Amino acid sequence: MKILLIGSGGREHALAWAFKQNPKCQELYCIPGNAGIAAVAKCLEIDILDNNEILRFCRNKGIDFVMIGPEGPLDNGLVDLLESNEILSLGPTKNAAMLETSKAFTKMICSKKDIPTARYKVASTENEALSYLNEFHEPYVIKDDGLAAGKGVFIAKNEKEAREALKKIFRIKPDTTSVVIEEFLDGEEASLFILTDGYDLLILGSAQDHKRAFDNDCGPNTGGMGAYSPASNITPRIEKKIIDRIITPTLDEMREKGTPFCGILYAGLMIKNDEPYLIEYNARLGDPECQVLAIRLGAQLLDVLFNCAQKALLETKINYADDFGIAVVLASKGYPGKYQKGEEIIGLGNISENDEIQVFHSGTALDGVKIVSNGGRVLSITTRSEDLESARKKVYDALTIIQCKGGFYRKDIGCKRSQK
Ligand code: AMP
Ligand code: GLY
């Protein structure tokens, strides 16, 4: 099979690594990839938002399957174009991807289907939004309706901060059409990943991300500084509640609207007193959550993703070992704010196969023969083990070997679980 992967992060490197272990993967291409992916796939300098160029490439190469990592191409209608040209891909159409691209859209589905989520209001002007603030109390949760690369959510400690957040959204981003103001949910977060062809569904796995930049959940929100799988707070009982009360009604509604959701539905959840609440949906795999699912699933990840695209989920089984995966992100100093690129990464050659570590590249580039940093998140050091504590030890031992000037990482990935 000839496969094209779209994306350039640790998520895509983990997918490439898993695909390459499957004998069905004969040729692997990646647009645009990174220095790590280049070691296992042929990387191409094509803009991920240039649908026609991607289609042309698929036709020229006779690509059998396109796996799309990030949300941008989904929102840009890549799946719609590939589908109408009979090229198999995994991901939702532009309209179905609205579960990620519009928070107001998802909230409307929650209201219609009585899905547990934070109480909310949608406002389309700053004045309207301000008038809703008195229906909520501190802390206020304010969300830009559209895609904002993880920067559209403001948790405002008080009314002054809430007003500032609204000003930022409406005045600094004049193309903003609406905001969602919602009740703050406390509890513990977790993510559940569902494979669905719009009709059938299969649970791909669960994970817990660590979104804040620094230890003990301090500092600014990031794309994710590390993850482990399975999530300790998604017990089989809670998983059933998530499927019955959240996922199934959502998929029903998408079908009823005439826009069935096919692909990976990533449910971001808050779990409180054994009750799950939907925080948000994403229409793709998470990064670094994909790394911990991939390390646990290995080659079969390709089979399950391909079967989902082929609408053959009923014949698909996922065989998880009784193990844990963990990924710790090495980030550039300053991330998620401004950071330097081009810092040399050293020590990669000192990780041996016996260490059972996969170093997935997140933001790297080749500079001659050197591998250098090329993004806020640089590497995701990933491993698996029978228990989380030994997985943690392996991953943190590896992090003492790898260096990148100014790089930092959280020391407490997976700790919540270890303490239980
Ligand atoms: P989102 O992009 O919607 O996942 O939001 C980013 C992060 O903001 C989430 O991972 C949560 O940590 C936090 N968050 C979002 N909505 C809420 C909420 N209603 N209550 C508490 N925290 C929230
Ligand atoms: N790790 C969070 C995300 O991929 O959205």
Side-chain angles (χ1 to χ4, degrees), residues 103 107 117-119 139 141-143 150-155 182-187 189 209 211-212 221-222 266 268-270 278-282:
K103 293 182 189 294
K107 283 293 197 185
T117 189
R119 185 172 60 82
V141 181
I142 293 170
K143 300 184 177 182
K151 293 189 181 126
V153 176
F154 298 84
I155 314 277
E182 64 182 50
E183 165 197 22
F184 181 84
L185 296 172
D186 59 7
E189 284 184 67
D209 190 8
K211 286 213 167 94
R212 300 297 190 114
N221 254 320
T222 69
Y266 158 169
L269 304 151
M270 192 68 86
L278 180 70
I279 298 181
E280 62 154 2
Y281 279 129
N282 291 311

Side-chain angles (χ1 to χ4, degrees), residues 188-192 234 242 246 267-271 276-279:
E188 199 179 325
E189 284 184 67
S191 308
L192 191 66
I234 300 192
I242 297 168
I246 299 177
L269 304 151
M270 192 68 86
I271 317 286
Y277 299 85
L278 180 70
I279 298 181

Side-chain angles (χ1 to χ4, degrees), residues 48-224:
I48 62 168
L49 297 181
D50 190 342
N51 287 352
N52 288 326
E53 199 52 43
I54 294 173
L55 175 63
R56 201 167 306 136
F57 174 78
C58 290
R59 282 193 172 136
N60 285 346
K61 280 285 172 210
I63 294 292
D64 300 298
F65 176 48
V66 183
M67 175 67 205
I68 301 161
E71 63 279 12
L74 301 172
D75 184 41
N76 197 37
L78 179 58
V79 170
D80 308 57
L81 184 73
L82 292 174
E83 212 168 80
S84 63
N85 284 276
E86 293 178 359
I87 293 171
L88 188 70
S89 65
L90 184 64
T93 57
K94 181 177 173 66
N95 283 338
M98 280 181 75
L99 283 177
E100 170 161 5
T101 60
S102 168
K103 293 182 189 294
F105 174 84
T106 295
K107 283 293 197 185
M108 254 142 43
I109 292 184
C110 290
S111 297
K112 185 156 175 215
K113 293 287 183 182
D114 221 2
I115 292 171
T117 189
R119 185 172 60 82
Y120 73 100
K121 282 278 188 194
V122 179
S124 50
T125 63
E126 190 177 339
N127 278 341
E128 190 191 358
L130 288 169
S131 75
Y132 290 143
L133 287 182
N134 62 9
E135 296 183 30
F136 295 86
H137 50 75
E138 299 168 354
Y140 299 88
V141 181
I142 293 170
K143 300 184 177 182
D144 188 338
D145 178 40
L147 276 185
K151 293 189 181 126
V153 176
F154 298 84
I155 314 277
K157 282 198 289 294
N158 50 42
E159 198 178 318
K160 181 168 171 276
E161 279 188 20
R163 286 173 179 274
E164 279 163 13
L166 288 170
K167 198 191 285 178
K168 229 185 200 156
I169 296 177
F170 280 106
R171 297 194 200 163
I172 299 174
K173 257 194 84 197
D175 56 339
T176 299
T177 48
S178 48
V179 296
V180 175
I181 303 172
E182 64 182 50
E183 165 197 22
F184 181 84
L185 296 172
D186 59 7
E188 199 179 325
E189 284 184 67
S191 308
L192 191 66
F193 295 86
I194 310 295
L195 275 172
T196 174
D197 55 18
Y199 296 82
D200 299 315
L201 69 85
L202 194 63
I203 297 171
L204 183 62
S206 67
Q208 217 174 13
D209 190 8
H210 297 62
K211 286 213 167 94
R212 300 297 190 114
F214 310 126
D215 286 7
N216 302 316
D217 292 334
C218 294
N221 254 320
T222 69

